[in-house]
Amino acid sequence: MLVLLPPSEGKAASGRGAPLKPQALSLPGLAEAREAVLTELVELCAGDEDKAREVLGLSQGLRGEVAKNVELRTAGTRPAGEIYTGVLYDALDPASLDPAAKRRAARSLLVFSGLWGAVRVTDRIPSYRCSMGVRLPGIGALGAYWRTPMASVLPEAAGGGLVLDLRSAAYAAAWKPKGEVAARTATVRVLHAPTRKVVSHFNKATKGRIVRSLLTAGTAPEDPASLVEALRDLGYVVEAQAPGRAGTPWALDVLVDEVH
């Protein structure tokens, strides 16, 4: 099983570990694209601060994020699973997983990123600020930029098993499963059961809890249909819609009564 996650907008501080080693990151097929984005981002932030804030969509109060990006090549690093914070990651709480669940997380979790393309939670990275919605002056829109390298790298990472896609729309734009990979992909939407509406906070929190439940239980569904069964066995209320045509993913709605 491969689980696709969005990153968090806010991030923990860089660690005290060794500086970034780009060649050590997972998915080496993305290395050239990562270097291009990293180089332009550092150069942008080392120049005119106001321009950098405008490009990155940052307020005056977040000017420190620009300075942080300048130091990306020399800052300390920590595992990506510790860098990403926020509602989804608080609910997932990877640090508190038992050893077996942590091993499963290392194998199965892939976090999408405007800067790195995608990384595993064990990859050591510095704290940064660069969302997938950014349009860098030289590279252009990052969502579109990542599609070409992702097209060859992600199907290989997916292997022959289930792909559980929990990404937000901006990050889903960087890679859309096609063909037989799409047929074994399940996207998840979390709905407030009484209103049938998506509420951002508990949508993220429930997705984090879903991932934690699967990792803790050691459940390894091989396809979307068995994922539906596994989630129901874990106590989730799930409505599933099988693909209406070939080459499209399953759509799962997880219904939650309380907003929290």
Side-chain angles (χ1 to χ4, degrees):
M1 178 174 65
L2 183 68
V3 181
L4 311 181
L5 297 173
S8 56
E9 194 69 19
K11 298 171 183 68
S14 296
R16 296 182 178 180
L20 176 70
K21 296 179 180 178
Q23 70 278 8
L25 297 178
S26 302
L27 309 181
L30 300 179
E32 184 177 346
R34 286 172 178 150
E35 180 60 30
V37 177
L38 178 62
T39 296
E40 182 166 354
L41 181 61
V42 170
E43 291 179 354
L44 170 70
C45 293
D48 186 310
E49 181 190 281
D50 289 337
K51 178 181 178 181
R53 284 197 299 104
E54 180 182 358
V55 170
L56 296 176
L58 302 176
S59 66
Q60 178 70 21
L62 292 174
R63 60 188 302 174
E65 299 292 277
V66 175
K68 181 167 67 175
N69 282 347
V70 175
E71 308 297 330
L72 285 173
R73 294 188 186 275
T74 57
T77 58
R78 59 200 301 181
E82 298 177 13
I83 288 287
Y84 295 114
T85 59
V87 176
L88 187 153
Y89 292 91
D90 286 347
L92 172 56
D93 195 8
S96 70
L97 292 170
D98 64 59
K102 285 182 178 179
R103 289 192 293 272
R104 296 182 195 109
R107 292 193 302 267
S108 63
L109 303 188
L110 202 62
V111 184
F112 273 60
S113 162
L115 174 54
W116 314 115
V119 291
R120 297 196 182 276
V121 291
T122 50
D123 285 332
R124 299 190 67 92
I125 58 175
S127 185
Y128 68 96
R129 190 65 171 246
C130 184
S131 71
M132 192 67 80
V134 164
R135 180 183 293 272
L136 292 175
I139 285 176
L142 291 176
Y145 172 78
W146 283 111
R147 287 175 199 154
T148 297
M150 291 280 191
S152 58
V153 173
L154 263 294
E156 181 179 352
L162 168 71
V163 178
L164 174 54
D165 190 352
L166 302 177
R167 297 173 296 167
S168 54
Y171 291 90
W175 180 64
K176 295 183 178 180
K178 298 180 180 179
E180 60 88 19
V181 179
R184 48 188 167 85
T185 296
T187 62
V188 172
R189 184 174 62 163
V190 181
L191 301 180
H192 181 217
T195 64
R196 309 290 296 189
K197 293 182 179 179
V198 174
V199 180
S200 178
H201 177 89
F202 88 98
N203 172 58
K204 296 175 182 177
T206 302
K207 286 180 177 179
R209 286 191 284 271
I210 286 171
V211 176
R212 183 178 180 88
S213 296
L214 292 169
L215 294 173
T216 301
T219 304
E222 297 180 353
D223 54 46
S226 58
L227 171 65
V228 172
E229 293 181 9
L231 291 176
R232 288 172 176 165
D233 287 344
L234 290 168
Y236 293 95
V237 178
V238 182
E239 295 179 352
Q241 183 175 343
R245 55 187 175 84
T248 56
W250 283 58
L252 275 54
D253 284 344
V254 176
L255 306 181
V256 181
D257 289 327
E258 296 182 1
V259 180
H260 63 284

